[in-house]
Amino acid sequence: MQDVVEKVYEQVVARNRGEVEFHQAVHEVLESLGPVIAKHPHYAEGALLERIVEPERQIMFRVPWVDDAGQVHVNRGFRIEFNSALGPYKGGLRFHPSVNAGIIKFLGFEQIFKNALTAQGIGGGKGGSDFDPHGRSDAEVMRFCQSFMTELSRHIGPSTDVPAGDIGVGGREVGYMFGQYKRLRNSYDAGVLTGKGLAWGGSLVRTEATGYGAVLFAQSMLSTKGESLEGKKVIVSGAGNVAIYAIEKAQQLGATPITFSDSSGYVVDEAGVDLELLKQVKEVERGRVADYVERRPGARLVTDGSVWDVPGDVALPCATQNELDGDAANTLLRGGCGVVSEGANMPSTPEAVEAFQKAGILFGPGKAANAGGVATSALEMEQNAGRTRWDFATAEAKLTGIMTDIHDSCVAAAEEYGRPGDYVLGANAAGFTRVADVMIAHGIV
Ligand code: NDP
Ligand code: 2IT
């Protein structure tokens, strides 16, 4: 790392003690900026780097709620409004017991550069809570969402900050939160949240967008080598929103996804995943991956080891941060994997990224590869603002165009800074320069 960025990194570590995921995300971006600052030293002036690593605003609040048995629980809510140079803060809400300030900060920081790559005029933010929706009734989830939104509603708005889903937050939760926002404000601000239901301001393709986008990104990377996904065996982790629609698009493009996972284990289905059954188990029944295996002859559930032990041509990590470490990366490489496209945020550890890059395979980092979700959120905001609704084909064509543009921007930036084919450098450099140019134009704010 260059001296000038090293100093900024050390300040981040000192100021945000113990927030290891945030340190990791900042380190990865700053490391990429060496060649950018060497070529354009003005990006290190005016404390620009110091400003970009410090959130504009950090909100933390109490979320009390009552369970079905009448017991009172207290969770912690977060919204990190990281950077508004390019537009209103934009980014999802995560409900998972592991959520803490460092995790939300890492996600908010990534979101700045991801959103810049989409070129849709959106700033970066993230939020959530350490609430665990697993095993909670609809009524409990509703009461939690209402309490969470009672505080969050003071801070958001269609031109201010526009949350959406992430782990543990999907259409059901967005619905409960939108209902409470509307009631508190007495205002039908459709554009205050994205990922809404289709009958009340949601966009077609938003549900599919992140998974579809990650597969389209893999396809674009393969096309630089004159190859495609056709006939490739795909290893997918996760069994939520991103994983399900990554599997769907991979199948549409002629590939064969053979795995998925949740926190209870992973499933190998050598015949190819039965997508309708997976959707029934996960989206309709909110069940576990074991429920799939019970109804699918030939599929097996593995509860020890890792999904990355399964050999395949393409890996799509779609579960959570740091789910793929250096050992897993080397196992994947030995199994013949030549493409990794990150559907999740920061799923590969630094050791895994290093192994992939050393091996020279196609590696698409999350902030580029999974940007289709937030990009389609911006399309939802555009439709809300125009009080209009596009059909599926129109929205999907726009998503496809945006993913191609993101891919091409990464390729161009990697070439410009002397590391052709390095999508990590490409994504960080292209995202950073777009935000940095506008921060400079806006003065010291
Ligand atoms: P979901 O809640 O729909 O699904 C998450 C899946 O990952 C579940 O199968 C879950 O299993 C599994 N998972 C979560 N945490 C762990 C863990 N610690 N160990 C093992 N498995 C785990 O979330 P999404 O699909 O929306 O999100 C997945 C990833 O994609 C996240 O990194 C998210 O930040 C990222 N992302 C999401 C976008 C979106 O539009 N939704 C956009 C861009 C990125 P279990 O149910 O057992 O916990
Ligand atoms: O990580 C992400 O990009 C998301 N969870 C989606 C954010 C959004 O605002 O759609």
Side-chain angles (χ1 to χ4, degrees), residues 94-114:
R94 176 177 292 191
F95 292 169
H96 193 271
S98 64
V99 162
N100 57 39
I103 287 190
I104 299 299
K105 257 187 238 177
F106 117 64
L107 291 163
F109 186 69
E110 291 275 297
Q111 203 82 47
I112 304 170
F113 308 103
K114 182 197 302 192

